[in-house]
Amino acid sequence: MAVRRLTFAFALLCGLGGSISASFAEERAIVLASTTSTQESGLLDYLLPIFRDKSGIEVTVIARRADQVLDGARRGEADVVLMHARPLEEKFVADGFASKRFDVMYNDYLLIGPKSDPAGVKGKDIATALKAIEAKGASFVTRGDRSGTHAAELALWIVAGIDITSAKGAWYREKGSGMTAAFDAARAANAYVLTDRASWIAFKDRGDLDIVVEGDKRLLNQYGVMLVNPEKHPSVRKDLGQIFVDWLISSEGQAAIAGYKVDGQQVFFPNADKSGG
């Protein structure tokens, strides 16, 4: 496909292919579509050179929000998908765009808020915290961008028994952009915001923001990997893509994930399910 050819050409122009020829890069290269959290956390910059040295396969990354990741994969723009929006992933499999989805790793979501904690939610469970925020009209920033984190937030409002579409008012601030912009907006507005832990660890300009709710089992943030179905798109590099999937869920790939740290903190925790589903 034209999109895939352009992706590889761009990668080569940027030096991702090094001194190897374009034809060889095309032969030993795949496209990975992933959500922005894996890219912005630095995980892929850490993992992919390890995989390349092991396999000789170059991986070009397309990092987008969750719905865009899957839309692109449905169009055949990627060989492998790595993301964290399980209901969307399971639908992708059910629709025949992948035959299996494998658990790879997890971290968790956090509720971030001002240290003054105007809604009084620190240490509470996530449902109680969201109920208090809504009841008090405390400022809350939502990414509002159809990302995996945004989808998780919407699901948590449902868990809390709140129809956020009806309940939202001036207190519920829809940013419509990525995690860093949402952090900046929350800091400026003295507001609460939901984030994945990797993004929080990577964010340094925190101001008065701090973790107010963590550890609730409903805040689990599971990542999965899928090979795009070559029966849908013959351009998919099935064999090379499967090598990458197999490596991610292997003991070696899992150890590499566990070994990635930011400021001494482990960011992702491997939990591969090799049976798939």
Side-chain angles (χ1 to χ4, degrees), residues 6-277:
L6 286 171
T7 300
F8 284 115
F10 179 74
L12 291 168
L13 286 171
C14 290
L16 293 176
S19 60
I20 56 179
S21 68
S23 61
F24 183 75
E26 181 86 13
E27 181 65 25
R28 299 290 293 176
I30 61 171
V31 174
L32 171 66
S34 189
T35 45
T36 55
S37 61
T38 53
Q39 182 82 320
E40 293 176 358
S41 67
L43 176 70
L44 295 180
D45 289 337
Y46 173 81
L47 282 184
L48 297 184
I50 298 174
F51 173 69
R52 181 193 60 218
D53 292 345
K54 172 74 175 181
S55 66
I57 299 170
E58 293 280 353
V59 181
T60 298
V61 177
I62 301 174
R64 297 170 172 164
R65 69 190 191 214
D67 64 323
Q68 291 175 329
V69 167
L70 293 179
D71 285 347
R74 285 188 173 92
R75 293 191 296 268
E77 296 175 5
D79 303 295
V80 178
V81 172
L82 174 65
M83 57 183 295
H84 64 128
R86 188 163 192 150
L88 299 181
E89 297 162 41
E90 290 175 344
K91 187 176 189 307
F92 188 77
V93 173
D95 290 345
F97 288 96
S99 59
K100 285 187 177 182
R101 174 201 169 278
F102 299 90
D103 283 346
V104 175
M105 61 191 182
Y106 70 94
N107 58 17
D108 59 344
Y109 290 108
L110 308 168
L111 184 64
I112 304 300
K115 292 177 183 176
S116 60
D117 191 17
V121 301
K122 188 171 180 62
K124 304 289 179 62
D125 66 81
I126 188 62
T128 300
L130 292 177
K131 287 176 183 177
I133 290 169
E134 188 271 336
K136 296 181 179 181
S139 293
F140 184 97
V141 171
T142 175
R143 283 182 59 163
D145 63 352
R146 295 186 293 173
S147 62
T149 300
H150 181 218
E153 179 222 311
L154 295 178
L156 288 169
W157 286 112
I158 294 172
V159 167
I162 295 169
D163 179 354
I164 194 60
T165 301
S166 300
K168 65 183 180 181
W171 62 274
Y172 188 75
R173 302 166 183 244
E174 299 185 66
K175 189 62 185 170
S177 57
M179 202 67 246
T180 299
F183 282 141
D184 289 340
R187 185 187 59 219
N190 212 37
Y192 296 92
V193 63
L194 187 80
T195 180
D196 65 285
R197 189 177 292 270
S199 295
W200 175 247
I201 291 173
F203 183 67
K204 303 304 180 185
D205 192 12
R206 298 177 178 180
D208 194 46
L209 296 178
D210 201 0
I211 298 171
V212 292
V213 176
E214 62 180 327
D216 189 319
K217 64 182 181 180
R218 292 168 291 192
L219 293 173
L220 177 70
N221 182 25
Q222 180 68 52
Y223 286 76
V225 67
M226 302 173 285
L227 177 72
V228 178
N229 188 353
E231 293 183 6
K232 291 282 189 180
H233 295 287
S235 61
V236 168
R237 293 181 169 269
K238 176 183 177 181
D239 294 340
L240 299 180
Q242 190 64 55
I243 290 171
F244 179 66
V245 171
D246 291 344
W247 181 80
L248 269 187
I249 64 176
S250 71
S251 57
E252 183 178 348
Q254 294 282 282
I257 290 168
Y260 178 62
K261 297 182 179 180
V262 176
D263 295 338
Q265 299 181 67
Q266 186 172 341
V267 182
F268 297 94
F269 297 84
N271 68 336
D273 172 9
K274 298 181 183 179
S275 64

